[in-house]
Amino acid sequence: MHAGLNRKWRPRLWAVVLLVLALVLCLPFAGLILFRFYDSQLVQQTEESLLTQAAVMSAAYAELYAGAAKSTPPDWGPVTGERAVFPSLSVNSATVLPPRPDAKPLSGPAGVPHRKIATRLTRIANAAQIQTLAGYRFLDARGNVFAGTAETGTFLGHVTEIQSALAGKTTSVARTRVREDTPPALYTLSRGARVRVFVAMPVFADQTLIGAVYLSRTPNHIFRFLYGERFNLAKAAAFVALSTALIGYVFWRFITRPIRLLIQRSQMAGHGGQAWEPPDQLGTREIEDLSHSFQSLTARLQNKQDALKTYTAHVTHELKSPLTALKGAAELLRDGDLPPAQRQRLLDTIDKGGKRMEDLLANMRAFSLADQSAMTGTSCLDAITPQMSQAFPALAIKTENGALPLPVAAPTLQIILTHLLENAHQHGAQEVGLTAYQDGAATCLRIADDGPGISAGNADKILQPFFTTRRDSGGTGMGLNIVKATVEAIGGSFSLVASSRGACFLLTFS
């Protein structure tokens, strides 16, 4: 209960997956936020179009003026990049100007050439407006509008961009649009729908400023573009939705569901003696490997639990005999009238029982620490045979392939061989052969002696804890179990193999 209250909050896997899917789903819609940048592009496209039209209108204005004034036609000179004009507007709160000031009354009558060409320029402007939707105004050098699609007969010389044009500089501005109707609420999201682009370009005839052309147009906005592409956008939205659903299914099928099944199986394992079984749906290769690791781990834990139960039962049984003997001897010793010979026998019984209990406890400790003392590494028989021969002088130890590297540390190999050689010596062997060899990818070590061997009836029991044929002489039956636990702790296997002479054991390291 207390541990549950102190658990650090962590999101569920399904919550993380849903968040990722939500982000994936929002990416296309988040891209619409960038349409402000697209607004600027649309404004610049409009500015570029107006600059192109202004150049054509100014050329027509100059040609018609030269004809009406009976002067030399304009000489435009060579085409160079220095005189070219390029769009430069950007749509933001700092660059968008207030609405254009209203027109004022004429400052004076237009010149004769301007009056002569006014009708023709107006027809040209009206014809162009049908195709471009732009507004055209032709101004004389004082700023009076003498021709165009609107505001003819008014004065615009006080407008900033026209003043720049009459000073000889082409000027483009974006101004806040004044609408007569109320725009849809959605249009307020597009800045391009709230501005109008104005371009003022000076007109020269025979290097003399004769006036300016003044063009204006509302830029196209992104919603008109989106409406035109509504079917393609619907297809894209359906594709995004299906892709998101597919990604969610893949996450659920190959990650979330297998992990949930693993959790359920892990919680069920061990209840009612049930063994851990991997689920049928394992998803990815990594989850399958994790499942197999769980299975291997639970199998090892179950084996250890079974071994602990068996071990406890054997320990209880093995300690019961010396404890009974000790209690009986102690009760008899309380009788002070015992003869010296009988008293000595009782003391020998106590000593023998105590020594047996001491041996059992020592071997049980060695067995319990076998997996901790086992160390992997590299060693060979030639490196430790001299120590083994010195520890067991009564045994003739012969080695074969003694230089072959074995995947076990020298101290661990000494522990293994000590128990096996001690076992061979206690059973009357005179000679022990140690043979190392390679069996495919596995490295093997065979230990064979010339002793009486192991009977067929005992072959299946020899590796059971506390099984011994030397119980009367002090055998504990733990030596081979210590060897088995040590070998398995470093990933090997220990087994008894059939032999025509003596006992033969095999260590296999994969």
Side-chain angles (χ1 to χ4, degrees), residues 43-193:
V43 168
Q44 288 193 0
Q45 290 178 11
T46 303
E47 179 191 5
E48 184 176 19
S49 174
L50 291 178
L51 287 171
T52 302
Q53 297 174 55
V56 174
M57 291 297 181
S58 64
Y61 182 178
E63 288 288 345
L64 292 175
Y65 183 88
K70 302 186 184 315
S71 60
T72 306
D75 182 10
W76 306 111
V79 177
T80 63
E82 296 179 357
R83 300 173 58 186
V85 290
F86 299 97
S88 59
L89 292 179
S90 62
V91 182
N92 55 65
S93 58
T95 58
V96 176
L97 301 180
R100 200 209 71 184
D102 294 334
K104 295 181 178 181
L106 285 174
S107 61
V112 174
H114 291 93
R115 291 196 299 271
K116 290 182 178 180
I117 65 175
T119 302
R120 298 178 65 184
L121 287 177
T122 298
R123 289 202 306 267
I124 293 174
N126 289 329
Q129 188 180 45
I130 296 174
Q131 300 294 327
T132 64
L133 302 180
Y136 300 93
R137 294 161 181 80
F138 297 91
L139 295 87
D140 61 14
R142 290 180 295 176
N144 296 314
V145 180
F146 67 92
T149 58
E151 298 181 309
T152 304
T154 61
F155 174 77
L156 293 177
H158 59 290
V159 179
T160 305
E161 55 268 27
I162 294 179
Q163 291 177 350
S164 297
L166 295 178
K169 181 180 179 182
T170 300
T171 303
S172 302
V173 296
R175 292 185 176 276
T176 301
R177 180 185 179 188
V178 178
R179 298 180 62 107
E180 296 179 357
D181 57 340
T182 302
L186 187 63
Y187 282 19
T188 59
L189 298 176
S190 173
R191 189 181 296 272

Side-chain angles (χ1 to χ4, degrees), residues 231-490:
F231 297 110
N232 292 331
L233 290 176
K235 294 177 183 178
F239 174 77
V240 170
L242 290 176
S243 300
T244 304
L246 180 61
I247 293 173
Y249 173 76
V250 170
F251 265 98
W252 173 81
R253 174 63 177 78
F254 292 99
I255 297 179
T256 306
R257 184 186 180 193
I259 290 179
R260 188 62 186 171
L261 290 175
L262 285 178
I263 294 174
Q264 293 176 352
R265 292 294 176 89
S266 299
Q267 292 174 344
M268 294 172 57
H271 293 285
Q274 296 182 1
W276 195 91
E277 293 293 336
D280 297 332
Q281 306 293 337
L282 290 174
T284 64
R285 178 68 62 184
E286 290 78 8
I287 296 180
E288 182 182 14
D289 294 340
L290 180 63
S291 175
H292 292 162
S293 298
F294 282 167
Q295 187 177 23
S296 176
L297 176 61
T298 54
R300 289 198 302 269
L301 292 176
Q302 187 65 40
N303 291 337
K304 282 187 176 293
Q305 184 178 11
D306 295 340
L308 180 60
K309 293 179 180 179
T310 304
Y311 187 74
T312 303
H314 280 296
V315 168
T316 303
H317 176 74
E318 290 295 327
L319 290 178
K320 185 180 295 184
S321 296
L323 280 173
T324 302
L326 288 175
K327 289 174 65 178
E331 290 177 359
L332 292 174
L333 284 174
R334 290 191 179 97
D335 188 356
D337 296 334
L338 290 176
Q342 188 177 1
R343 180 182 294 275
Q344 186 61 41
R345 285 195 301 272
L346 292 175
L347 291 175
D348 290 341
T349 300
I350 292 175
D351 183 65
K352 183 179 179 181
K355 186 175 185 307
R356 177 161 180 77
M357 292 178 65
E358 188 178 57
D359 292 341
L360 283 171
L361 292 174
N363 282 280
M364 287 190 302
R365 177 176 174 79
F367 177 75
S368 64
L369 297 177
D371 55 347
Q372 300 180 20
S373 60
M375 295 181 295
T376 57
T378 303
S379 62
C380 61
L381 292 175
D382 290 345
I384 64 170
T385 300
Q387 293 90 329
M388 295 293 98
S389 298
Q390 185 177 1
F392 299 94
L395 289 176
I397 302 175
K398 297 182 179 180
T399 61
E400 185 177 347
N401 294 333
L404 181 67
L406 300 174
V408 54
T412 303
L413 185 59
Q414 283 184 327
I415 294 174
I416 295 172
L417 292 180
T418 297
H419 286 285
L420 293 175
L421 294 177
E422 179 69 27
N423 192 66
H425 174 65
Q426 291 175 352
H427 286 82
Q430 301 294 322
E431 182 180 304
V432 178
L434 307 177
T435 304
Y437 62 94
Q438 201 76 31
D439 184 10
T443 304
C444 302
L445 174 61
R446 185 174 64 247
I447 302 95
D449 62 48
D450 60 350
I454 301 171
S455 66
N458 292 335
D460 295 336
K461 306 175 184 178
I462 195 68
L463 297 180
Q464 294 179 4
F466 301 104
F467 176 81
T468 179
T469 58
R470 296 178 50 257
R471 192 173 305 277
D472 295 338
S473 59
T476 62
M478 292 295 295
L480 294 181
N481 279 275
I482 293 174
V483 172
K484 183 174 182 293
T486 303
V487 173
E488 291 178 350
I490 56 178

Side-chain angles (χ1 to χ4, degrees), residues 177 187 217-229:
R177 180 185 179 188
Y187 282 19
R217 189 183 187 280
T218 301
N220 193 8
H221 54 80
I222 192 170
F223 298 106
R224 187 173 297 153
F225 167 78
L226 294 178
Y227 180 78
E229 298 292 332

